[in-house]
Amino acid sequence: MCGIIGYSGHRPAIPAIVEGLRRLEYRGYDSAGVAYEDPRGLHVIRAEGKLGALDDKIRGLDTTSSLCGIGHTRWATHGLPVERNAHPHMDGAGRFALVHNGIIENYAELKAELQAEGHVFLSETDTEVLVHMIAKGVDQTGDVRRGISWALARVDGAYAFALLSKDHPGKIWASRKASPLLMGVGVGENFVASDIPAFLPYTREVVFLDNGELVEIDASSWQVFDIVSLEPKAKEVRHISWDVQAAQKDGYKHFMLKEIFEQPKVIRDCLAGRIQKGQVALPELDALPVPERLTIVACGTSYHAGLWAKYLLETWARIPVQVEIASEFRYRDSVFLPGDLVLTISQSGETADTLAAIRIAREAGVAILGLCNVVGSSIARESDSVVYTQAGPEISVASTKAMCSQMVVLLLMTLAWAARKGILAAEASEDCLRALIRISDLLEAELPAIRKQAKILCQEYSDARSFFVLGRGLYVPLALEGALKPKEISYIHAAGYASGEMKHGPIALIDAQVPTFAMALNDDLLQKVASNLQGVQARGGRIIALVNPGAAPVVESPWVLPEAWGPLKSFLVLPAVQLFAYEMAVYLGKDVDQPRNLAKSVTVE
Ligand code: AGP
């Protein structure tokens, strides 16, 4: 998830573009760049790091005569967040400059084809391939619009891009497929951007672009075309009344809620480029042998994702797994065996305890695999190989979509290793991948109803002094996560437990003010969970239970979730526990996005 902007108008372009990027920084902030035209030609300036670095580079330049340009703030997916990989990228002849948000899935094979024709690439990005393809398309067709159409007919993946052409000053072309792109219609000026905040101070007149549309703008006009037929399309201009803050949250009240509702797209983005011919394609794993034994090391929510994966890795890939809390692991004298692999999981890639765990494994000569969300982060750089979760920036301190993305990639790793061990039939893997794609659509459809139920129940249970959150098997890690969130953002104590443990002591705490939130989904352990809940009910405990239709134990507050394939039910359970905690925090008037005493990543010892 990156932020792009394009401007053509009557005011100096660069200040408007850089200010627009500042309001898009929640979409990505590891490097940035602009391209602008002036009477001397097409100019590109890029910088590593936050926007301030780009500001410093621009400050000394005279850009006042430029009235047209494009800009980008990056969230790296392909290629480290360094200057050569920052956008804009240009074609070999420097005729075109392009900024892009999305993932070109078939970029590797297109790059090889173009290199065979003599194209030279300066970065590791998929985006540079796109601008070279467009340049080739323009050469083939003799026209920018038809050249773009030609190129996009050969590109797979998600994109929103803006393009400048040296030979067409004042014009910008932009198009989208899956990634967001819209136009801001001003008076004597027009914008294209990933999101409304980019141009909100200048205009509230917005045109929402659909997939497969190409827009051409200049200072005084704009026209939308169908990208295949290049037929003009009529588009409605809508008036937006949001302020910038609200717009950055896409109209959601908090970043946490926005990120919960991003999870269907996050599942798709995690799969982007990783399913080829119905099988998992994770080349990052090929660099390492299939582990004889796996030690997963992480903290907080990432630790819970690791625990969840243990169940799948042991069942489907028959790999023995131990999951370690990094702050404990780093001070223990672990025993490593030949064939061991250490897998560290971290959204930020900067968590100190997890980083220390890597150094211990390194010292012991054990191979290290990283699973991170931030490209180029310390944990990513210090691992022998790293797989990125592609969840986009996670702004809210309470981690939500990152765990969803970690679960998707850990599931892909499981399938990949099981396939390499030859113990999982290709059909079984295909079934699982198809079900995974379906779950993102099901979740998209169900999220509003899940939120509605969360709102109702959190009010009914807002008098709780503390909660037990219970699950069995695969749902124990989700119970731990379901207990972490209310602590983090609602400031209500909650204890996550394997429900079979309740009778060994904790059940003594059950009373009317200590309700139970249980996961009683329709699987082989449902009867076991049901009998554990009877123990709670026998002591007057109130119970909210996540259940499936037609397979629900009798409890005070059944919360019905749609049926789903096997372990993929987890992708419906996770947002339910997240939304219950979220709605409880809102109901109790807590500052959701910035909980007290917490930081987004814990980089201190
Ligand atoms: C989760 O909501 C918290 N922000 C926290 O537990 C977090 O998961 C933990 O600090 C690990 O962070 P990481 O994934 O960035 O390493």
Side-chain angles (χ1 to χ4, degrees):
M1 187 156 111
C2 306
I4 71 172
I5 180 170
Y7 172 83
S8 183
H10 55 77
R11 64 184 85 229
I14 292 299
I17 289 169
V18 173
E19 276 323 298
L21 291 177
R22 214 174 299 288
R23 288 186 293 275
L24 290 174
E25 257 194 315
Y26 65 92
R27 301 180 58 83
Y29 40 76
D30 59 37
S31 52
V34 294
Y36 62 96
E37 301 160 345
D38 67 15
R40 292 162 298 148
L42 197 49
H43 311 274
V44 168
I45 311 165
R46 307 181 297 185
E48 202 173 306
K50 293 245 167 152
L51 262 181
L54 181 66
D55 271 342
D56 297 344
K57 281 197 171 183
I58 290 173
R59 197 162 296 117
L61 303 170
D62 171 15
T63 62
T64 47
S65 60
S66 171
L67 305 179
C68 179
I70 55 178
H72 186 269
T73 180
R74 186 169 188 237
W75 179 261
T77 56
H78 292 73
L80 288 174
V82 291
E83 201 245 319
R84 74 173 176 280
N85 292 328
H87 300 203
H89 288 282
M90 302 186 88
D91 65 306
R95 289 178 294 157
F96 300 102
L98 179 136
V99 291
H100 164 234
N101 166 36
I103 295 174
I104 306 297
E105 292 178 21
N106 61 339
Y107 85 101
E109 66 230 51
L110 292 174
K111 190 171 184 173
E113 280 168 27
L114 290 166
Q115 283 169 322
E117 295 163 12
H119 288 247
V120 177
F121 291 89
L122 309 173
S123 78
E124 291 98 61
T125 66
D126 51 337
T127 301
E128 194 183 4
V129 175
L130 181 57
V131 69
H132 277 249
M133 283 297 289
I134 291 175
K136 180 178 174 187
V138 174
D139 293 340
Q140 304 259 340
T141 63
D143 170 79
V144 178
R145 226 181 279 164
R146 281 187 290 137
I148 294 172
S149 176
W150 179 92
L152 297 185
R154 289 157 179 76
V155 160
D156 294 336
Y159 54 76
F161 67 81
L163 178 89
L164 284 183
S165 158
K166 194 169 69 175
D167 306 328
H168 303 83
K171 272 196 180 307
I172 297 176
W173 291 265
S175 181
R176 67 164 295 212
K177 184 181 156 207
S179 297
L181 185 71
L182 23 85
M183 212 178 20
V185 179
V187 180
E189 58 188 359
N190 289 311
F191 296 80
V192 289
S194 303
D195 206 346
I196 293 169
F199 50 69
L200 208 52
Y202 304 104
T203 177
R204 291 178 172 280
E205 308 311 315
V206 177
V207 173
F208 291 91
L209 296 164
D210 296 319
N211 287 337
E213 289 181 343
L214 168 70
V215 65
E216 205 171 286
I217 70 168
D218 58 26
S220 56
S221 70
W222 56 274
Q223 175 64 64
V224 176
F225 304 89
D226 173 88
I227 191 61
V228 179
S229 67
L230 292 179
E231 287 303 311
K233 293 185 74 172
K235 295 293 285 181
E236 185 198 351
V237 179
R238 308 253 287 273
H239 180 79
I240 296 291
S241 55
W242 293 341
D243 64 32
V244 171
Q245 263 276 318
Q248 284 174 332
K249 295 175 190 146
D250 260 357
Y252 291 99
K253 194 151 180 276
H254 297 101
F255 277 111
M256 181 180 177
L257 185 63
K258 177 181 176 231
E259 289 159 4
I260 291 172
F261 273 75
E262 277 177 18
Q263 295 183 110
K265 180 174 179 304
V266 163
I267 294 173
R268 294 185 202 112
D269 287 352
C270 284
L271 297 175
R274 291 172 168 164
I275 300 179
Q276 274 148 23
K277 305 189 183 70
Q279 297 300 312
V280 175
L282 270 180
E284 303 91 331
L285 296 189
D286 300 348
L288 300 163
V290 177
E292 304 282 324
R293 185 178 66 154
L294 189 65
T295 301
I296 298 178
V297 187
C299 302
T301 291
S302 297
Y303 168 76
H304 297 151
L307 268 180
W308 182 84
K310 173 183 170 75
Y311 291 84
L312 302 182
L313 285 157
E314 294 191 340
T315 316
W316 293 357
R318 305 307 291 150
I319 296 173
V321 177
Q322 52 196 50
V323 188
E324 305 278 356
I325 294 172
S327 53
E328 281 303 307
F329 177 80
R330 62 179 294 183
Y331 297 113
R332 247 201 17 256
D333 190 6
S334 301
V335 179
F336 293 110
L337 303 172
D340 269 4
L341 176 68
V342 166
L343 167 60
T344 57
I345 306 178
S346 175
Q347 187 286 128
S348 61
E350 302 297 344
T351 301
D353 290 322
T354 311
L355 207 46
I358 284 187
R359 292 167 185 159
I360 288 167
R362 171 82 52 225
E363 250 160 60
V366 177
I368 300 154
L369 175 63
L371 176 58
C372 296
N373 194 40
V374 179
V375 173
S377 55
S378 310
I379 289 174
R381 286 200 308 275
E382 295 204 20
S383 301
D384 297 310
S385 186
V386 58
V387 182
Y388 290 112
T389 46
Q390 298 174 180
E394 191 172 64
I395 309 293
S396 172
V397 170
S399 183
T400 54
K401 64 175 182 174
M403 183 169 177
C404 171
S405 66
Q406 289 160 351
M407 288 160 61
V408 173
V409 180
L410 288 161
L411 196 154
L412 295 181
M413 285 180 181
T414 305
L415 295 175
W417 279 326
R420 274 171 67 184
K421 290 177 73 170
I423 59 172
L424 185 71
E427 301 69 46
S429 182
E430 270 173 41
D431 290 349
C432 178
L433 292 171
R434 264 197 297 278
L436 198 49
I437 294 163
R438 279 201 305 277
I439 206 82
S440 67
D441 299 335
L442 178 62
L443 180 56
E444 190 141 47
E446 288 296 324
L447 269 172
I450 295 174
R451 182 180 183 201
K452 194 154 160 265
Q453 186 63 3
K455 264 193 179 157
I456 295 164
L457 289 170
C458 80
Q459 294 178 21
E460 257 175 59
Y461 286 80
S462 58
D463 62 339
R465 191 176 64 244
S466 170
F467 280 91
F468 278 113
V469 186
L470 306 181
R472 266 198 183 244
L474 198 60
Y475 300 110
V476 173
L478 297 177
L480 297 176
E481 181 63 8
L484 174 61
K485 290 290 166 284
K487 290 195 278 271
E488 276 191 284
I489 60 169
S490 326
Y491 313 146
I492 298 177
H493 179 266
Y497 270 98
S499 60
E501 264 304 280
M502 288 296 283
K503 56 185 175 295
H504 302 291
I507 203 159
L509 278 179
I510 292 291
D511 70 23
Q513 256 56 56
V514 181
T516 295
F517 187 115
M519 297 164 193
L521 290 304
N522 184 15
D523 65 11
D524 319 347
L525 294 170
L526 175 56
Q527 289 325 310
K528 295 283 177 206
V529 175
S531 71
N532 298 140
L533 296 183
Q534 278 153 13
V536 171
Q537 284 164 321
R539 288 161 181 76
R542 295 185 290 158
I543 300 175
I544 300 169
L546 297 174
V547 298
N548 288 128
V554 180
V555 295
E556 188 167 344
S557 308
W559 183 348
V560 182
L561 294 177
E563 211 21 289
W565 186 83
L568 302 192
K569 293 183 185 42
S570 305
F571 291 97
L572 298 166
V573 168
L574 183 63
V577 296
Q578 294 164 342
L579 282 165
F580 184 72
Y582 170 81
E583 293 300 343
M584 184 69 85
V586 171
Y587 184 70
L588 298 173
K590 308 298 179 189
D591 180 350
V592 172
D593 278 342
Q594 202 52 56
R596 66 184 186 213
N597 307 336
L598 285 179
K600 181 63 194 164
S601 72
V602 185
T603 55
V604 290
E605 301 296 327

